[in-house]
Amino acid sequence: MLRARRSNAALVERVAGWSVRHRVLAVTGWLMLVLVAVLAGALGGDGASARDPGETGRATEVLDQQRTYAPVRENVLVEGVAREAATDDLVSALRGTNAVTDLSRRVSGSSVLVTFHVAGPNEQIKAHYDTVVRTVSDTSARHPGARLAQAGDQSLAKAVDQAVKDDFQRSELISLPITALILLVVFGSLVAASVPLLLAGTTVAAAFGLIALIGDWIPVNSATSSMILLIGIAVGIDYALFYLRREREERAAGRTVAEALRITARTSGRVVAVSGLTVILCVAGLLFTGLDNFRGLTVGTVLIVGLAVLGSVTALPALLSLLGPWIDKLRVSRHRTTVRESRVWTAVARVVVRRPWLWGGLAALGLVVMALPAVDMRLQDAAAVNSLPRSVAAVDGAIRMQQAFPGAPTPAQVVVWGNVAGARAAADGLHGQIAASGGLLHEPMSTAQLDDALVIRVPLAGSGTDEESNRALEHLRTTALPAAFGHVDGVEFAVAGKTAFAHDFTDQVRKTTPIVFAFVLALAFVLLVVAFRALAIPLISIGLNLLSIGAAYGVLTWVFQDGHLSALLGFTSYGGVVGWLPLFMFVLLFGLSMDYHIFILSRIRERWFGGADARSAIVGGVGSSAGVVTSAAVIMTAVFAVFVTLSAIEYKMLGVGMAVAIMIDATIVRGVLLPAAMALLGERAWVLPGGLGRFSHLPRLSDRESAPGQRIVRV
């Protein structure tokens, strides 16, 4: 019987067992894999470009087919008592550089707007842009009585890109020392604390090498790369914690290193594998959006989580076998969080299981109340003037420019192709449409011809992504452009630009969100049924995850949409929540929170199958898992909380939303709601009712041989 079980041992157990028996080869093999992946990354090219969604995508596709780049439009706002002299000087200086074309000026009250295109050809655009920046700076220095501010296509894009790059570099520098300090407190040993960092570091290096290699086919931008990095650090350390916790616990119980690793592979090793698979499959739901940016994020997350799982079941047990008792060397503290049973959480669980209806009901009610603000959540991307603080010069200039000349910093980009000659003759008709738009469209309109297309810039009302801007975009697409070009045979047109991209992206997210939600929920249900061979457990886990995510949505709306805590967190509310964030949070949180649920439920099940009654199993499972779950949650919360320190409001939202959800999941859900629900179900939690019993042959998370006369312990 035992021989049959051993012959049918799970893949995870066999792989981990082989790694322990061939520990030097396993560690060397892992390091070679990392080295090959890093070297392969050097073969990658410049990287693929993401295709924009909807009508914006059609416009950018036409532009990409042109040999000549779309013209870069820049604006300089001139204010102050010396504005007239400064404007004359600036215009004269720019004309003398041959770096600009289509130079014009407009006056509005006490402000002057100088508008121009950066001159080509393609290979000279960067040099010409640099010349423009120097000219504006030199002019400003010559006229201290005037205030010059540049904001346009290139200047705003460079400001945003640089701010995001600087922010993420700072976040990476902050998150690593914090993580190392927490691990040191958790393990009390420099050697033990370094093991999760080593696993996470090598995983990240290998993953980014592979991402660079496939980057010519799958677009991964800098912001996506930073998110993948932080996800990789979080899950890599979490999985190492789960493994180290069990190995230390078994050694503390008197078992040898080999015995401890064998038990760990059959318990925590499988938990890591199932958790990683859950994260991978949940994040794969983003592919249903059809958005290239999410495709890159999905592939990157799959790679980094998959490598973290692989390293956890191969290199990690081999390394622990090599270290043996030396894992506890270089002690800095006698305190070892991951081995002790938490007295606090054991006491909390004991109180909850005695009166589950009371405490479970109060906790659920509290989360529902926290979720209420999310009912009024408005999905709205941040415009450039909303995303970054006004301390960024280009953003401050764009805000003041927007007030004096609405729509000037980020105009709509109308791309017209087909019968270009006829379109050019009809383009002047847009001036009349602008005048008749009721303030939704503004002058000055500018036109530039590429090889086989026209690019027409039309300023829109509003901040760039708000409801007024969306109404202006809709009017331009459905009324103004058809009226101007609809009578010309062979003319096609599409609208791009920052307003159009934000609108089309959010619209695509809204359309596909129900599909993604259904996929993730159905997938999580099936995975948990297979893992635990029970029906109630998946339903409870899904319900509790929805509660915690809903509460996080509510906090996100209350803070950022309604503007609470803005002074503390350093942002200015623009009255909405970034359109992609709720869907991204749902997918990622559903995958990550399953780590905790699977780990805790495995411990509860182990005790129940070992002969404990239902309530004792719940209390023991919660108490024994509290140390590692709390440590993992603190690390993951710290990693995502670093986003709050970034400049862009989008990433502040991500940081607050993820950190709050993880804290809720690791405290209220794990400590109160889960024990309450399990206590109410009792032994019914671990069975497949009715006709579903025919699936009982499916493997559980793990099988663990018991001594004669005892039940087999299943984790």
Side-chain angles (χ1 to χ4, degrees), residues 421-649:
R424 191 170 186 86
D428 286 342
L430 269 179
H431 290 289
Q433 295 299 320
I434 292 173
S437 69
L440 291 175
L441 309 179
H442 296 284
E443 296 282 3
M445 182 190 86
S446 68
T447 303
Q449 180 157 357
L450 306 185
D451 303 305
D452 302 307
L454 292 179
V455 177
I456 304 172
R457 306 297 185 106
V458 180
L460 304 177
S463 68
T465 59
D466 59 5
E467 287 300 320
E468 187 177 13
S469 294
N470 287 335
R471 287 196 300 272
L473 175 67
E474 186 70 15
H475 180 82
L476 179 64
R477 283 176 167 176
T478 61
T479 302
L481 292 177
F485 299 111
H487 63 282
V488 183
D489 293 336
V491 169
E492 297 183 72
F493 52 82
V495 181
K498 290 180 172 60
T499 300
F501 174 80
H503 175 274
D504 294 346
F505 192 94
T506 303
D507 186 57
Q508 181 75 2
V509 169
R510 283 197 182 101
K511 289 178 180 177
T512 55
T513 290
I515 301 173
V516 177
F517 273 46
F519 172 80
V520 172
L521 293 175
L523 183 67
F525 177 79
V526 171
L527 283 174
L528 289 172
V529 167
V530 172
F532 289 102
R533 281 165 52 184
L535 186 61
I537 293 297
L539 295 175
I540 289 173
S541 298
I542 289 172
L544 297 185
N545 272 342
L546 291 175
L547 269 177
S548 63
I549 293 172
Y553 283 173
V555 172
L556 194 65
T557 305
W558 183 79
V559 172
F560 290 97
Q561 182 172 299
D562 300 339
H564 297 97
L565 307 180
S566 58
L568 177 64
L569 299 178
F571 71 92
T572 301
S573 174
Y574 63 89
V577 172
V578 177
W580 55 266
L581 185 56
L583 180 63
F584 174 74
M585 280 179 57
F586 174 82
V587 170
L588 188 57
L589 284 170
F590 222 92
L592 293 178
S593 63
M594 283 298 177
D595 289 355
Y596 306 144
H597 283 288
I598 291 173
F599 190 77
I600 297 167
L601 289 169
S602 299
R603 286 308 187 90
I604 295 173
R605 184 174 192 128
E606 180 177 344
R607 280 156 176 75
W608 187 75
F609 270 86
D613 63 88
R615 291 192 173 185
S616 298
I618 294 167
V619 174
V622 171
S624 64
S625 61
V628 68
V629 170
T630 300
S631 303
V634 169
I635 290 172
M636 197 171 288
T637 300
V639 168
F640 284 109
V642 170
F643 278 88
V644 180
T645 68
L646 306 188
S647 300
I649 193 172

Side-chain angles (χ1 to χ4, degrees), residues 325-388:
W326 287 85
I327 190 75
D328 295 322
K329 295 298 181 180
L330 300 180
R331 296 283 299 278
V332 296
S333 170
R334 293 186 178 276
H335 179 71
R336 294 192 298 177
T337 304
T338 55
V339 175
R340 295 183 178 184
E341 183 173 298
S342 172
R343 295 180 180 178
V344 173
W345 287 112
T346 298
V348 170
R350 188 174 290 116
V351 170
V352 169
V353 297
R354 287 173 183 165
R355 305 186 70 180
W357 280 112
L358 173 63
W359 296 110
L362 289 174
L365 180 62
L367 292 185
V368 169
V369 171
M370 291 177 68
L372 287 178
V375 174
D376 296 323
M377 180 187 287
R378 292 188 296 276
L379 298 182
Q380 177 186 330
D381 279 5
V385 295
N386 305 128
S387 177
L388 298 174

